[in-house]
Amino acid sequence: MNLNATPAELEFRNELREWLAAHLPQPFEGNRSEEERAYFEYLKKWQRTVYDGGWAGLSWPREYGGRGAGIIEQALFQEEWARAEAPPLINVLGLSLIGPTIITVGTEQQKKRYLPKILSAEEIWCQGFSEPNAGSDVAALGTKAVRDGDDFIVNGQKIWTSLAHLSDWCLLLVRTNTEAPKHKGITALLVDLRTPGITVRPLKQMTGESAFNEIFFSNVRVPVENVLGEIDRGWQTAIATLMNERANLGTGSYVIFKRNLDALIARSRTVKRGTTTASNDPVIRQKLAQAYLELEVFRLTNLRALSGMANSKVPGPEGSILKLYWSEMNQRIQQTAMETLGPHAQLEDFDGGRWVFNYLRARGNTIEAGTSEIQRNIVAERVLGLPKSY
Ligand SMILES: Cc1cc2nc3c(=O)[nH]c(=O)nc-3n(C[C@H](O)[C@H](O)[C@H](O)COP(=O)(O)OP(=O)(O)OC[C@H]3O[C@@H](n4cnc5c(N)ncnc54)[C@H](O)[C@@H]3O)c2cc1C
C-alpha cells in the first residue's frame, strides 16, 4: 500500500479544503434529541449541498453520480472532513450499505433510478433485515411475500430498523419460498415506505432518542420489478449488504471518533481534578494516550480495508475485523471519557450532554451490524479457516 499522495491527490485535498471552507453550514443550534426533525432537515440540506458540490459517493462510479475516487482520496477526504468539523451525511445507510449493494447486484434501471437520489438525500433509506426472532441468524426471518401477478404481497414485522421513521425507502428481506432450506427462499425487495399497509413505530433507546423502529407490514403490495438481485436468492444480496455494512460503517465513523477524541483531549485540560486538571492525572494521561493509539490503529486498519476494496471492489470477511475493532474501541474510549471528565459528565447540562450520550450510544455498537460474537465467528471460519459454528 503506497500512502504517499501524488500531486493530483494533493490538489484534490486543497480543492476539498477550499470547498469546505466556503460551504460549511453554521453548527446546529438546537437539542438534537428533542428537535430531531429539525436536525434531520438540517443534515438533509447539508447532504444536498455536498452532492451539488460533487463530493457525495466519493468511491461510487461516475456514471451514477459518484466521483470514482481512489483509496488515498478517500483517506484524505476523511481527514479533511474531521479537520473542518463538517456535519455527517444523513443518508448513512443508503451511502454505506444499500447504494453499494445496488451497484453490485442491481439492474441498470435500478442503478439509474435509485443511486442519484441516495447521493442527494432526496430519498432516505433504511435496512429491514432483523426481526424479533431473527437477528444474528437473520436467515431465520419469517416476514412473508406471496406472488400475486406483477406484485408481491408482504406480511410480517421487522425490528431495530434504524432511521425508518425518517426514511422513504427500505431494503427489505422477505421469505418467498417456505419449502426451501432457510437460506434459499429469501428475496430482497426495494420497498417504498409510503405504500399502504406499512406502520412504523419508533422504539425508545436508553440515550433518550428513538433512532430505531419496529415496522409492520399488512398486505403490502410491492412490484416484482423492485426485487434486488434474484427471487429466492436474496441471501446473496443480503451478504453483499452485510459485507458493505461491516466494512463501510466504521469507515464513515472515523471522522466522528476523531472529532470526539480531539474534544476529549482538549476538555481534559480544563476539567478540574482536585487542585489541578484531569490532564495532569497520571492515570488519565495513560488512558488518553492509549485512546489516541487505538484510534491510529483503527485509521490504519481502515486504510487497509479501503485498499483491499479498491482491488477487489467488494469487501471481504476482513470487514468483520474492522467492525469488531471500531465497536469495541469506541466503548473503551467512551469509558475513558467518563473517567476523564468525572461524575458530572453524566449530567445532560454538562457540554450539552454529549459525553453521556456517546457513552450510552456506544453500548449498541457491539450489537448493531452483527454482534462481536458473530464477527469473531466470521473471522474464525472465513479468515482462519476453522470449522463452522453451529
Ligand atoms: C443501535 C442498533 C441499530 C440497529 N439497526 C438495525 C437496522 O437498521 N436494521 C436491522 O435490520 N437491524 C438493526 N439492528 C439489529 C441488529 O442487527 C441485531 O440486534 C443483531 O444482529 C443481533 O440480533 P439480536 O438482537 O436478535 O440478538 P440475538 O441474535 O438473539 O443474539 C443474542 C446474543 O447471542 C449471541 N449469539 C447469537 N448467535 C450466536 C452464535 N452463533 N455464536 C455465538 N454467539 C451468538 C449474540 O452475540 C448475542 O450476544 C440494530 C441494532 C442496534 C443495537
Side-chain angles (χ1 to χ4, degrees):
M1 182 167 45
N2 177 7
L3 294 178
N4 294 324
T6 62
E9 286 158 351
L10 290 176
E11 194 184 315
F12 166 91
R13 188 188 66 188
N14 291 341
E15 194 192 332
L16 174 59
R17 197 174 281 183
E18 279 169 23
W19 186 87
L20 280 170
H23 293 88
L24 213 57
Q26 292 296 317
F28 182 74
E29 292 297 345
N31 178 312
R32 292 176 189 182
S33 300
E34 284 165 19
E35 295 165 58
E36 187 194 37
R37 177 57 72 171
Y39 184 52
F40 170 71
E41 294 301 337
Y42 166 87
L43 291 182
K44 220 174 148 175
K45 191 169 162 213
W46 168 234
Q47 188 173 327
R48 176 76 212 200
T49 308
V50 172
Y51 173 70
D52 289 341
W55 300 102
L58 209 61
S59 62
W60 290 20
R62 283 183 181 274
E63 66 261 42
Y64 306 120
R67 209 176 168 107
I71 168 192
I72 301 289
E73 286 153 322
Q74 290 176 62
L76 292 172
F77 182 87
Q78 286 174 13
E79 278 166 23
E80 287 306 310
W81 215 259
R83 193 174 167 277
E85 303 204 352
L89 301 181
I90 182 64
N91 210 358
V92 57
L93 300 177
L95 291 167
S96 57
L97 44 138
I98 294 159
T101 309
I102 294 176
I103 291 171
T104 311
V105 300
T107 61
E108 201 46 39
Q109 202 186 354
Q110 287 171 337
K111 290 178 195 176
K112 291 205 172 101
R113 159 68 186 82
Y114 296 108
L115 296 176
K117 290 186 179 184
I118 289 178
L119 292 177
S120 65
E122 202 175 328
E123 290 175 344
I124 304 293
W125 281 76
C126 63
Q127 174 199 18
F129 282 22
S130 304
E131 296 184 3
N133 293 315
S136 298
D137 183 14
V138 76
L141 61 91
T143 294
K144 252 194 225 159
V146 176
R147 183 84 181 248
D148 181 37
D150 289 339
D151 292 337
F152 279 109
I153 300 182
V154 180
N155 280 288
Q157 184 200 342
K158 295 289 166 179
I159 194 167
W160 319 124
T161 325
S162 302
L163 272 177
H165 58 307
L166 300 170
S167 292
D168 306 288
W169 285 82
C170 180
L171 174 59
L172 188 73
L173 290 185
V174 292
R175 183 156 305 286
T176 37
N177 186 341
T178 48
E179 308 297 318
K182 67 177 178 183
H183 290 92
K184 297 202 169 146
I186 293 172
T187 300
L189 296 175
L190 305 167
V191 178
D192 181 345
L193 286 175
R194 282 168 302 242
T195 315
I198 297 179
T199 308
V200 175
R201 206 160 68 185
L203 293 163
K204 193 93 168 166
Q205 289 160 253
M206 66 176 165
T207 50
E209 59 173 357
S210 292
F212 57 32
N213 305 264
E214 295 174 294
I215 315 185
F216 299 91
F217 298 85
S218 174
N219 293 323
V220 175
R221 283 194 171 267
V222 180
V224 172
E225 66 185 31
N226 288 18
V227 169
L228 182 63
E230 292 174 47
I231 294 173
D232 287 348
R233 300 198 62 196
W235 189 243
Q236 279 78 347
T237 305
I239 291 295
T241 309
L242 293 171
M243 296 278 209
N244 278 303
E245 181 173 31
R246 283 156 195 169
N248 293 338
L249 263 193
T251 303
S253 310
Y254 169 75
V255 174
I256 297 168
F257 297 153
K258 169 95 173 79
R259 194 177 310 153
N260 277 329
L261 185 59
D262 288 348
L264 177 63
I265 292 168
R267 201 66 172 88
S268 74
R269 298 179 208 275
T270 56
V271 75
K272 286 266 180 294
R273 178 64 45 100
T275 54
T276 178
T277 60
S279 58
N280 280 309
D281 182 318
V283 176
I284 294 297
R285 292 162 62 86
Q286 293 281 316
K287 291 196 172 180
L288 290 174
Q290 177 67 22
Y292 172 79
L293 292 180
E294 291 191 19
L295 193 58
E296 265 305 281
V297 171
F298 173 60
R299 187 175 71 81
L300 296 170
T301 310
N302 211 348
L303 284 178
R304 188 176 62 175
L306 285 174
S307 162
M309 278 195 277
N311 295 328
S312 69
K313 303 291 173 211
V314 210
E318 296 81 4
S320 288
I321 301 175
L322 198 65
K323 176 3 167 96
L324 192 55
Y325 191 79
W326 73 254
S327 55
E328 298 193 347
M329 173 198 75
N330 192 36
Q331 288 181 352
R332 288 190 293 273
I333 294 180
Q334 297 314 325
Q335 177 70 34
T336 294
M338 285 293 134
E339 290 169 21
T340 303
L341 302 171
H344 37 284
Q346 294 170 36
L347 300 176
E348 288 215 348
D349 57 4
F350 183 88
D351 288 353
R354 74 181 279 186
W355 305 108
V356 67
F357 177 88
N358 288 345
Y359 177 81
L360 293 174
R361 179 61 187 81
R363 305 318 299 168
N365 290 164
T366 48
I367 303 173
E368 62 197 314
T371 66
S372 288
E373 289 76 18
I374 294 303
Q375 308 307 333
R376 287 194 174 89
N377 273 342
I378 293 171
V379 173
E381 277 169 41
R382 301 194 48 200
V383 179
L384 302 181
L386 300 182
K388 254 179 128 31
S389 70
Y390 293 99

